[in-house]
Amino acid sequence: MQRYDAHAVHAAMVALMRDRGLPPAHATDVADALVDASLRGIDTHGVRLLDFYLKEIEGGRAKKHPSFRITGDYPAAALFDADDALGVVAGAAAMREAIGRARKAGIAALAVSRSNHFGRADYFARMAASAGQIGLVFSNSDALVVPYGGVVPLNGTNPLAMAAPGLGEDGFHLDMATSQTAYSRVLLALRHGRQVEPGLATNQDGQDLSQGGELGALQPLGGVKGQGLGMMIQILCALLSNMPFDAELSNLYREPYDTPRQISHFMVAIEVSAFVDPVVFRTRLSELLTLFRDSRPAGDTPVRVPGDPEREVEADRRRTGIPLAEEEVAMLSGYLRADGSPVDRQGVAMI
Amino acid sequence: MQRYDAHAVHAAMVALMRDRGLPPAHATDVADALVDASLRGIDTHGVRLLDFYLKEIEGGRAKKHPSFRITGDYPAAALFDADDALGVVAGAAAMREAIGRARKAGIAALAVSRSNHFGRADYFARMAASAGQIGLVFSNSDALVVPYGGVVPLNGTNPLAMAAPGLGEDGFHLDMATSQTAYSRVLLALRHGRQVEPGLATNQDGQDLSQGGELGALQPLGGVKGQGLGMMIQILCALLSNMPFDAELSNLYREPYDTPRQISHFMVAIEVSAFVDPVVFRTRLSELLTLFRDSRPAGDTPVRVPGDPEREVEADRRRTGIPLAEEEVAMLSGYLRADGSPVDRQGVAMI
């Protein structure tokens, strides 16, 4: 795959979205988040999502011009009605609100109602970390995970993310689903005729898929505890914002595209200085990360901390560019030069 | 084991602690938490811990008369210096403070420094749920869990708990360690010569214990994600309160008993009404719990939700009493009648 300069890709995405009528600030939010994911090697949540998000807008699932409404009488907590915005736009706006409120209150939480798929959860958590705070981000999603010992999926893969700032660019950047693995990984294994390991998925009868049968759903992380975590996130997101349960949500990648999905999030920002000297916190955090990174590995692979693999890919891709698949290049046709540099919006499309 | 009325056991524990010089309010906190755990069937964290907590006091690890100090300039967040109190006393006081602050701010968080073992995390989370709020509770602990692919334990079993109120006595009551299983379960399996299942523990070289070798440490929940959760909790607890890392803590059940352990907690209370009508929240929560409970099981065991097993045991033990082991009865000697009814503090000991 050819690589394209991240700034060029970002500019091309913004220009494309502006031409489709998205407000400039929203176009920037979406490009920021997707280019960030691509830079960090999470290509499933990167540039390629733009096409899908535009489909959500065109279909009517998401609004091009949402009107956000923040309600509630409490300084550190509020409901953020996203008015069926794109999830990334809603998430970024809600986290900005949380960061601002936490600056004054010490901690703040926003429950986000009427949202959509918001991409990578850690992106929003890292917004807080960039502001010197701790960010905690949760989202519900359509049900793909069975309860422990159950047959019917009732939890989404419901991610949780936490970001905390260390020294310089260092930090703790956790982003995890509460299923044992991703649906796409199971599908990939099946497509290649590989055995699906125990504990990852169930068959149509709720038995572990490693025992045979057709793919049913995903197993919760580590068994019953993952079920609890998935429910915890469902409660914080869907119940605090009075939105549908995971099992009531439509599937992300399937029809209908004209009906809002009513995804919900829960965003928390924590002002470190409310508890401890931020310099001490950053120093101790980097010491903790170093303790893990330098600890004795069982095999040849060093011990990592959450966010390390992504940070390494990012260092490389900032230098060498983001590899784009043919469809992604086609989607940006007219906005990106073949050499990876951005074109003027009135300029000649090179691809 | 003979069963004793929960109120009698509670009264006996309070009387014993008062005779040992504990402040009446602290004695009540400890008895409340331990009897609660025993009632709910978590005997490892129940009445039997009293003897251990008194040992912590007698040795000097914990103070009989701590002076709590709450510092910080933020309405919704503060550092709670527990002054080496018993963990249960510190946890209860900090959660009360969090509940009170959340009532005004919508959410509040207390980082608790210089604490000790606080028993079951869900006890404090359920304090918030009893007040109509959501409680989130985290604690660090001495390192027993290896990082994914590591040899040296760097995370404690670091529990997280969440409680949320449903209709009536119904609710969501999660309490889980971030290891795949408990140390005591692995020891029990080894003692009985049983094979330790894959994914639970490591051997001295960091390989899975199911491959043979001597017990090394515990595996994180579900692999790398459990490592992330354990670190998340370590950061929220130890780093926000500027306390030692998990790997720097002394072992709970070992010497020295004369040195404070500097355990840390992180307590969050969320005012439901800051987001949504509390009646709607409670109703929807019970609907969600019912959805899970009534969903099709893969085998003969019904699908449960976190807290259900404990609630069932509690209903039974409130009626039939708490079964006490001989040592527990011996510990309460002079405070508890053989028939399970409490004695007057000046009365004659019946056991």
Coordinates of all heavy atoms in Angstrom, one line a residue, chain B residues 1-5 9 317 320-326 328-329 336-341 350-351:
Chain B
M1 N -20.9 -26.1 61.1 CA -20.7 -24.8 61.8 C -22.0 -24.3 62.4 O -23.0 -24.2 61.7 CB -20.1 -23.8 60.9 CG -18.6 -24.0 60.6 SD -17.8 -22.6 59.9 CE -18.4 -22.7 58.2
Q2 N -21.9 -23.8 63.6 CA -23.1 -23.3 64.2 C -23.4 -21.9 63.6 O -22.5 -21.2 63.2 CB -23.0 -23.1 65.7 CG -24.4 -23.0 66.4 CD -24.3 -22.7 67.9 OE1 -23.3 -23.2 68.5 NE2 -25.2 -21.9 68.4
R3 N -24.7 -21.6 63.5 CA -25.0 -20.3 63.0 C -25.4 -19.3 64.1 O -26.0 -19.7 65.1 CB -26.2 -20.4 62.0 CG -25.8 -21.1 60.7 CD -26.9 -21.4 59.7 NE -26.4 -22.0 58.5 CZ -26.4 -21.3 57.3 NH1 -26.8 -20.1 57.2 NH2 -25.9 -21.9 56.3
Y4 N -25.1 -18.0 63.9 CA -25.4 -17.0 64.9 C -26.1 -15.9 64.2 O -25.8 -15.5 63.1 CB -24.1 -16.5 65.5 CG -23.4 -17.5 66.3 CD1 -22.5 -18.5 65.7 CD2 -23.5 -17.6 67.7 CE1 -21.9 -19.5 66.4 CE2 -22.9 -18.6 68.4 CZ -22.1 -19.5 67.8 OH -21.5 -20.5 68.5
D5 N -27.1 -15.4 64.9 CA -27.9 -14.2 64.4 C -26.9 -13.1 64.1 O -26.0 -12.7 64.8 CB -28.9 -13.8 65.5 CG -29.6 -12.6 65.1 OD1 -30.5 -12.7 64.2 OD2 -29.3 -11.5 65.6
V9 N -24.1 -11.1 66.3 CA -22.6 -11.1 65.9 C -22.2 -9.7 65.8 O -21.1 -9.3 66.3 CB -22.4 -11.9 64.6 CG1 -21.0 -11.7 64.1 CG2 -22.8 -13.3 64.7
R317 N -29.1 -16.2 55.0 CA -28.4 -16.0 56.3 C -29.1 -15.0 57.2 O -28.9 -15.1 58.4 CB -26.9 -15.6 56.0 CG -26.2 -16.8 55.4 CD -24.7 -16.5 55.3 NE -24.0 -17.7 54.9 CZ -22.6 -17.8 54.8 NH1 -21.9 -16.8 55.1 NH2 -22.0 -18.9 54.3
T320 N -31.4 -17.6 58.8 CA -30.8 -18.7 59.5 C -29.5 -18.4 60.3 O -29.1 -19.2 61.0 CB -30.5 -19.8 58.5 OG1 -29.5 -19.4 57.6 CG2 -31.7 -20.2 57.7
G321 N -29.0 -17.2 60.1 CA -27.8 -16.8 60.8 C -26.5 -17.0 60.0 O -26.5 -17.6 58.9
I322 N -25.5 -16.5 60.6 CA -24.1 -16.6 59.9 C -23.4 -17.8 60.5 O -23.2 -17.9 61.7 CB -23.3 -15.3 60.2 CG1 -24.0 -14.1 59.6 CG2 -21.9 -15.4 59.7 CD1 -23.4 -12.7 60.0
P323 N -22.9 -18.7 59.7 CA -22.1 -19.8 60.2 C -20.8 -19.3 60.6 O -20.1 -18.6 59.8 CB -22.1 -20.8 59.0 CG -22.3 -19.9 57.8 CD -23.1 -18.7 58.2
L324 N -20.4 -19.5 61.8 CA -19.1 -19.1 62.3 C -18.2 -20.3 62.6 O -18.6 -21.3 63.1 CB -19.2 -18.3 63.6 CG -19.9 -16.9 63.5 CD1 -19.8 -16.2 64.8 CD2 -19.3 -16.0 62.4
A325 N -16.9 -20.2 62.1 CA -15.9 -21.2 62.4 C -15.5 -21.1 63.9 O -15.7 -20.1 64.5 CB -14.7 -21.0 61.5
E326 N -14.9 -22.2 64.3 CA -14.5 -22.3 65.8 C -13.7 -21.1 66.2 O -13.9 -20.5 67.3 CB -13.7 -23.6 66.0 CG -14.6 -24.7 66.7 CD -13.8 -25.9 66.8 OE1 -12.7 -25.9 67.4 OE2 -14.3 -27.0 66.4
E328 N -13.6 -18.2 65.0 CA -14.4 -16.9 65.0 C -15.2 -16.9 66.3 O -15.3 -15.8 67.0 CB -15.3 -16.8 63.8 CG -14.5 -16.6 62.5 CD -15.2 -17.1 61.2 OE1 -16.3 -17.5 61.3 OE2 -14.6 -17.0 60.2
V329 N -15.8 -18.0 66.6 CA -16.5 -18.1 67.9 C -15.6 -17.8 69.1 O -15.9 -17.1 70.0 CB -17.2 -19.5 68.0 CG1 -17.9 -19.6 69.4 CG2 -18.2 -19.7 66.9
L336 N -20.7 -13.2 72.9 CA -21.8 -13.8 72.1 C -22.3 -15.0 72.9 O -21.5 -15.9 73.4 CB -21.1 -14.3 70.8 CG -22.0 -14.6 69.6 CD1 -22.7 -13.4 69.1 CD2 -21.1 -15.2 68.5
R337 N -23.6 -15.2 73.1 CA -24.1 -16.3 73.8 C -24.1 -17.5 72.8 O -24.1 -17.4 71.6 CB -25.6 -16.1 74.2 CG -25.8 -15.2 75.3 CD -27.2 -15.2 75.8 NE -27.6 -13.9 76.5 CZ -27.4 -13.8 77.8 NH1 -26.8 -14.7 78.5 NH2 -27.7 -12.6 78.3
A338 N -24.0 -18.7 73.4 CA -23.9 -19.9 72.6 C -25.2 -20.1 71.8 O -25.2 -20.7 70.7 CB -23.8 -21.1 73.6
D339 N -26.3 -19.5 72.2 CA -27.5 -19.6 71.4 C -27.6 -18.5 70.3 O -28.5 -18.4 69.6 CB -28.8 -19.5 72.3 CG -28.9 -18.1 73.0 OD1 -28.0 -17.2 72.8 OD2 -29.9 -17.9 73.7
G340 N -26.5 -17.7 70.3 CA -26.5 -16.7 69.2 C -27.0 -15.4 69.6 O -26.9 -14.4 68.8
S341 N -27.6 -15.2 70.7 CA -28.1 -13.9 71.1 C -27.0 -13.1 71.8 O -26.1 -13.7 72.4 CB -29.3 -14.1 72.1 OG -28.9 -14.7 73.3
M350 N -21.1 -16.6 77.8 CA -21.7 -17.9 77.7 C -20.8 -18.9 76.9 O -21.1 -20.1 76.8 CB -23.1 -17.8 77.0 CG -24.1 -17.0 77.8 SD -24.4 -17.6 79.5 CE -25.5 -19.0 79.1
I351 N -19.8 -18.4 76.2 CA -19.0 -19.3 75.4 C -17.5 -19.0 75.8 O -17.2 -17.9 76.2 CB -19.1 -19.1 73.9 CG1 -19.0 -17.6 73.4 CG2 -20.5 -19.6 73.4 CD1 -18.9 -17.4 72.0

